[in-house]
Amino acid sequence: MKPSLLMCPPDHFGLEYEINPWMKLSRQPERHLAQEQWSALYRFLRDDLGLAVELIEAAPGLPDMVFTANAGLVRGREVVLGSFRPPQRRAESPLFEAWFKQRGYSILTLPPDQAFEGEGDALPAGPGEVWAGYLTRSDVRSHALVSRLLDLHLTSLELVDPRFYHLDTCFSPLGDGSLVYFPGAFDDYGRQAIEAGFSDLIAVPEEEAVQFVCNALVAGRHYVQPWGGGRFLRPALEARGFEVHQFDLSEFIKAGGAAKCLVLRLDWPE
Ligand code: ARG
């Protein structure tokens, strides 16, 4: 099934605070370039891959709203709304809530002291199966509730490297039992759980992981990622029959996000 997605144009994207190690106020994104990069990705997903891409209007004063992956986790007509750890992003939630409400979704919410940053930290790996990251951003206590609310089999993974602060920066299930991941982002126990949970592991080396190549949207046999990964990941994916599509997302990487962070799945992969 082709995924349908939610994106937010970068009309108010910017770097106004530092809430992850990639963000440096001294390294400002270039607005015009960010617009072009986002549009190229959006047009590709919509026109070339033929995906249904819905849009939410950007809001002034919310420079990270472009990263819709953090809006929540959607299953069927239900959405667990993201509950942000950084205060700077909390005002996004009512806007995403209104968007989902208008379209008839049932909104499920978490207690405010249980941070949960949506699909940024919770990645579907098969029907009813999700892997979820915690520590820097999402709170491990949110996992039990998310799993119960959406009736999911959830495996929690601690994120131990601050550069890989959301699970989607270092972990990308391909939907066929394979996984692209950066082992250094997890502790020994997490790595054991991953090894037991996937039949085919594509372990990305650090020099490619820091290019955000694990931050990818997977649609069928298409792997949509930022630039990089030419030495190891690309050949590994092509050997498995994937088509790799690379986009220049430099301006979003300055804010700590890339291809996956810019989209939220509105349906569950089968
Ligand atoms: N600047 C944003 C933040 O720190 C980037 C979010 C990236 N999103 C993601 N799903 N990894 O919240």
Side-chain angles (χ1 to χ4, degrees):
M1 188 174 75
K2 285 186 173 181
S4 59
L5 307 170
L6 175 63
M7 294 180 75
C8 174
D11 299 345
H12 298 284
F13 171 61
L15 209 156
E16 298 172 18
Y17 44 75
E18 298 176 355
I19 55 170
N20 69 56
W22 303 87
M23 299 176 93
K24 298 275 173 266
L25 287 167
S26 56
R27 268 192 348 130
Q28 286 293 320
E30 213 265 276
R31 275 184 175 275
H32 190 70
L33 189 53
Q35 280 283 357
E36 277 176 15
Q37 293 179 346
W38 185 91
S39 298
L41 178 67
Y42 169 69
R43 282 197 304 265
F44 174 79
L45 297 174
R46 191 193 57 184
D47 302 338
D48 295 80
L49 292 190
L51 308 184
V53 187
E54 310 258 2
L55 293 176
I56 182 170
E57 200 181 322
L62 296 174
D64 275 332
M65 194 174 163
V66 68
F67 298 115
T68 52
N70 301 119
L73 183 65
V74 181
R75 188 174 193 202
R77 298 302 294 167
E78 297 188 311
V79 56
V80 173
L81 206 62
S83 132
F84 287 95
R85 187 184 295 273
Q88 293 93 333
R89 294 198 63 183
R90 287 188 194 148
E92 294 176 31
S93 296
L95 303 178
F96 285 118
E97 180 171 9
W99 190 92
F100 283 111
K101 241 189 205 143
Q102 273 162 21
R103 284 152 188 85
Y105 284 83
S106 308
I107 316 278
L108 310 167
T109 50
L110 298 172
D113 66 337
Q114 294 189 19
F116 172 66
E117 300 204 354
E119 214 179 43
D121 259 334
L123 291 160
E129 185 192 344
V130 72
W131 292 72
Y134 70 89
L135 193 60
T136 317
R137 299 294 282 269
S138 295
D139 187 337
V140 70
R141 291 174 308 154
S142 68
H143 289 179
L145 203 47
V146 170
S147 140
R148 189 142 45 85
L149 289 171
L150 293 179
D151 189 22
L152 293 169
H153 182 270
L154 183 151
T155 308
S156 300
L157 294 169
E158 183 166 319
L159 297 171
V160 302
D161 181 333
R163 293 172 300 170
F164 301 96
Y165 61 98
H166 276 141
L167 187 64
D168 69 2
T169 62
C170 52
F171 185 96
S172 180
L174 300 180
D176 58 356
S178 319
L179 174 74
V180 171
Y181 77 123
F182 171 53
F186 305 95
D187 60 12
D188 282 341
Y189 188 70
R191 280 191 291 267
Q192 281 173 33
I194 289 170
E195 282 159 22
F198 290 86
S199 53
D200 175 26
L201 293 168
I202 306 175
V204 172
E206 182 168 10
E207 69 269 20
E208 295 190 0
V210 295
Q211 297 176 308
F212 268 79
V213 296
C214 302
N215 195 251
L217 171 74
V218 180
R221 302 308 272 181
H222 298 280
Y223 190 88
V224 185
Q225 58 153 86
W227 280 356
R231 192 182 62 79
F232 171 79
L233 182 58
R234 183 177 195 129
L237 286 167
E238 286 174 351
R240 289 164 173 85
F242 275 84
E243 232 181 286
V244 177
H245 309 276
Q246 302 199 356
F247 286 83
D248 182 6
L249 295 170
S250 60
E251 302 317 285
F252 299 99
I253 290 177
K254 289 177 183 168
K260 175 63 199 73
C261 308
L262 293 169
V263 303
L264 174 72
R265 279 193 75 124
L266 295 173
D267 52 24
W268 204 265
E270 297 309 322

